[in-house]
Amino acid sequence: MTVSGSGYTSGETVRIYWNSTSSTPLATVTASGGAFSVSITVPELPRGSYQIIARGATSGKQEAAPFAVAPSLSRTPTSGPAGTQVSVTVRGFGANEQVRLTWISATGQVLGTATTNALGTGSTTITIPTSPVGSYDYVGTGLTSGARAYGS
């Protein structure tokens, strides 16, 4: 994602932090004309609200903005016939949570369960069930948090 800010001293070093200025900066950038823009990678974290903090090294100016980590699903391969083995990765769920994967809807056929680590990420392999040719949804539901994510 891109983080930007203004009101800093031109040429000032601005450090971008995740949730705390006592952590290691995610990025360091030099303000040009008092403004900056820099790309960062959102850390792997469990579902929740966090802060992105920009802090000027000389002025001490500090800005913060909220960021919500939401659950998501990704898979490989992205298509195939019935019987295809698909590796599904779940991210942004609760820490150490079981995530049930179901076919078509949250109450559909259970395809498998992934257990997340302390960072809310996990994976499992599912098998595409017999269905007419077409595009189908699958749903990941956190069994503790109730958080949901959808894939197709």
Side-chain angles (χ1 to χ4, degrees):
M1 70 177 285
T2 301
V3 176
S4 58
S6 61
Y8 294 86
T9 304
S10 189
E12 180 174 19
T13 298
V14 180
R15 291 181 178 86
I16 310 303
Y17 298 92
W18 189 266
N19 232 30
S20 169
T21 57
S22 63
S23 63
T24 302
L26 295 175
T28 301
V29 63
T30 301
S32 175
F36 73 88
S37 182
V38 64
S39 291
I40 65 166
T41 299
V42 175
E44 183 179 322
L45 293 164
R47 175 179 172 227
S49 296
Y50 299 90
Q51 292 286 314
I52 298 170
I53 304 165
R55 186 176 201 180
T58 51
S59 68
K61 176 182 167 81
Q62 184 170 300
E63 299 176 278
F67 186 89
V69 171
S72 66
L73 306 173
S74 61
R75 75 239 179 254
T76 301
T78 58
S79 64
T84 299
Q85 297 283 300
V86 178
S87 175
V88 178
T89 300
V90 301
R91 290 183 181 86
F93 284 87
N96 306 306
E97 177 175 37
Q98 289 191 330
V99 178
R100 181 181 300 140
L101 297 165
T102 54
W103 189 241
I104 302 175
S105 71
T107 58
Q109 176 185 346
V110 175
L111 302 173
T113 302
T115 301
T116 65
N117 60 21
L119 300 174
T121 299
S123 63
T124 191
T125 300
I126 63 171
T127 301
I128 300 299
T130 301
S131 302
V133 173
S135 179
Y136 293 89
D137 293 334
Y138 64 104
V139 181
T141 304
L143 298 184
T144 303
S145 67
R148 283 204 178 127
Y150 301 84
S152 182

